[in-house]
Amino acid sequence: MKSREIKTTWRLVTPLFGGGAQPVEGDSALRVPALRGALRFWLRAVLWGRLGNVGEVYKVEEELFGSADKGQGLVLLRLKVLEEENRRRYTVEEAKRQWGVGKGKGYMTYGLLQKEGPRPWVEPGARYELGLLCKPKMTEEQRQWLEMALRAFALFGNVGAKSRKGFGSLALEAAEGLTWQLPQTLAAWQVEMTKLLDEIGVREGLPPYSAFSGRSRLVLAQPATNDAWSVLDHVGKELIRFRSWGRNGEILFGEPAKRLFPCDHNEVLEIGQGQRNPGRMPRRAIFGLPHNYFFSGSKVKVNVNAYGDGKDQRRSSPLFFKALPLANGKYALAALLLAAEFL
């Protein structure tokens, strides 16, 4: 008989931008609501491949984690800090030196340098115990859904602000009540990820929200670095090289711009000049919306948003990055694309 509690131990491997409603005030801690929200997200992501019906997916989510209408769910979370959270905060000047123009990690932390001051963060190295108490009414199938969500979070997920960019990555160090342990090599990571994807199943076509499907893509890489910040800096620079048109043909202070998306550049410029509207989103919309364009030559500005008004105009990128710690002290990187109708 399985234990009613799944007791897990986690180590923070990339900086965490956590906190509550006012994180700029100095509170950057990891909180239970952030973990619950992450587990709910990955539960929905894995359930689509099995159920293929939004109503059924939300019913399982409500049963496990509760809702405003139904109240408390079948699983309760508790969090304990095992090793102290070392909190850091840059001054504006330090943030500009570390996260400014030409810095890959600055590209990944875009938006966190606010006029009130940079957001504080928790340094890698903090350790946590997360307990998931399963109520007696939980069925074997519901327990299976919960464990799959927990594995998906451990393999692909992060918490906090900029979590899709690789920040707030937690490595599972131990698990009681869960027949799974964190991989130690890049090959082992690939095996475990493939195993989970096989269990989820492939449902063709685009899902209505970010979820695993036949359109999902996974890439693993191992940058030559043993520092978590350096991994994210490496990814940020590669994104700049891939996405940027550059200024005067240059990016990253002198590197030639590849200019891989001339259609995006030219079509948006034509929109800004009032010539024509192609009626489709730029190809780089996969990195999230809105897109803000400024053409230095003509001084034309164009903002590309999703349809709708107000909050409906924003779309998070369906591209997820996660730093993967290896037994040799280095880090690998997972890039997961969960394409969907929403974006």
Side-chain angles (χ1 to χ4, degrees):
M1 180 177 178
K2 289 187 176 180
S3 170
R4 285 184 56 199
E5 184 176 24
I6 302 173
K7 186 183 295 184
T8 59
T9 304
W10 305 80
R11 175 171 56 89
L12 183 65
V13 298
T14 60
L16 165 68
F17 294 94
Q22 300 294 331
V24 175
E25 297 301 320
D27 185 3
S28 54
L30 180 62
R31 296 167 177 260
V32 167
L35 291 164
R36 185 186 297 114
L39 289 173
R40 295 181 80 129
F41 174 89
W42 291 105
L43 176 69
R44 295 191 296 268
V46 301
L47 284 179
W48 178 256
R50 288 289 190 92
L51 302 179
N53 180 280
V54 173
E56 292 183 25
V57 169
Y58 287 152
K59 181 176 182 292
V60 173
E61 180 188 355
E62 184 179 60
E63 291 170 346
L64 285 176
F65 292 106
S67 69
D69 294 331
K70 301 294 184 180
Q72 200 174 69
L74 292 172
V75 57
L76 304 178
L77 273 62
R78 63 171 182 83
L79 180 66
K80 179 181 179 181
V81 178
L82 299 179
E83 290 190 19
E84 187 177 358
E85 295 179 310
N86 180 21
R87 305 181 190 185
R88 291 282 310 279
R89 184 174 185 174
Y90 282 148
T91 65
V92 174
E93 292 72 22
E94 288 174 325
K96 288 180 178 178
R97 285 198 302 270
Q98 296 294 329
W99 301 346
V101 177
K103 303 286 187 180
K105 54 192 173 184
Y107 193 79
M108 301 293 271
T109 55
Y110 180 79
L112 298 184
L113 179 57
Q114 305 173 34
K115 62 181 180 181
E116 299 91 344
R119 282 186 60 162
W121 71 88
V122 177
E123 287 276 81
R127 294 178 67 248
Y128 308 90
E129 181 180 279
L130 174 65
L132 297 91
L133 181 62
C134 304
K135 293 183 178 180
K137 291 183 179 181
M138 183 180 292
T139 66
E140 186 63 31
E141 183 180 53
Q142 289 170 329
R143 172 73 176 239
Q144 181 188 33
W145 295 139
L146 178 62
E147 291 189 7
M148 288 181 70
L150 189 59
R151 287 167 59 198
F153 171 66
L155 290 169
F156 305 110
N158 307 307
V159 289
K162 299 297 180 181
S163 59
R164 298 190 183 203
K165 295 292 190 293
F167 291 92
S169 182
L170 292 164
L172 181 64
E173 292 189 328
E176 298 177 18
L178 184 68
T179 56
W180 185 81
Q181 295 295 326
L182 192 74
Q184 298 296 310
T185 66
L186 186 59
W189 276 99
Q190 184 173 5
V191 168
E192 290 299 330
M193 289 175 174
T194 303
K195 186 185 301 183
L196 178 62
L197 295 177
D198 289 341
E199 291 177 25
I200 293 170
V202 174
R203 190 172 293 273
E204 296 302 328
L206 283 173
Y209 61 88
S210 295
F212 292 99
S213 72
R215 300 286 291 275
S216 300
R217 296 293 182 269
L218 174 65
V219 175
L220 297 180
Q222 188 171 356
T225 178
N226 56 2
D227 173 73
W229 268 116
S230 298
V231 172
L232 300 180
D233 187 63
H234 172 85
V235 175
K237 288 179 179 177
E238 288 302 315
L239 282 175
I240 292 172
R241 293 183 179 106
F242 185 72
R243 296 183 59 182
S244 182
W245 184 260
R247 180 168 294 183
N248 298 321
E250 293 184 351
I251 55 173
L252 299 173
F253 296 107
E255 187 175 314
K258 295 183 178 180
R259 295 186 170 180
L260 299 176
F261 297 93
C263 287
D264 282 6
H265 177 274
N266 296 336
E267 289 179 354
V268 172
L269 178 58
E270 289 175 354
I271 292 172
Q273 294 174 335
Q275 297 181 29
R276 71 184 184 101
N277 189 331
R280 61 173 179 268
M281 283 291 182
R283 293 173 63 192
R284 287 172 293 179
I286 199 68
F287 295 109
L289 293 172
H291 278 190
N292 302 316
Y293 290 80
F294 174 70
F295 299 90
S296 57
S298 58
K299 308 301 181 185
V300 169
K301 294 182 179 180
V302 179
N303 295 326
V304 179
N305 299 300
Y307 60 87
D309 298 321
K311 294 181 179 179
D312 291 340
Q313 295 180 334
R314 297 191 65 85
R315 292 290 185 272
S316 295
S317 170
L319 183 60
F320 298 77
F321 294 102
K322 185 175 180 71
L324 312 175
L326 306 178
N328 61 5
K330 295 186 180 298
Y331 290 85
L333 179 80
L336 174 68
L337 176 67
L338 296 180
E341 292 177 4
F342 201 59
L343 180 58

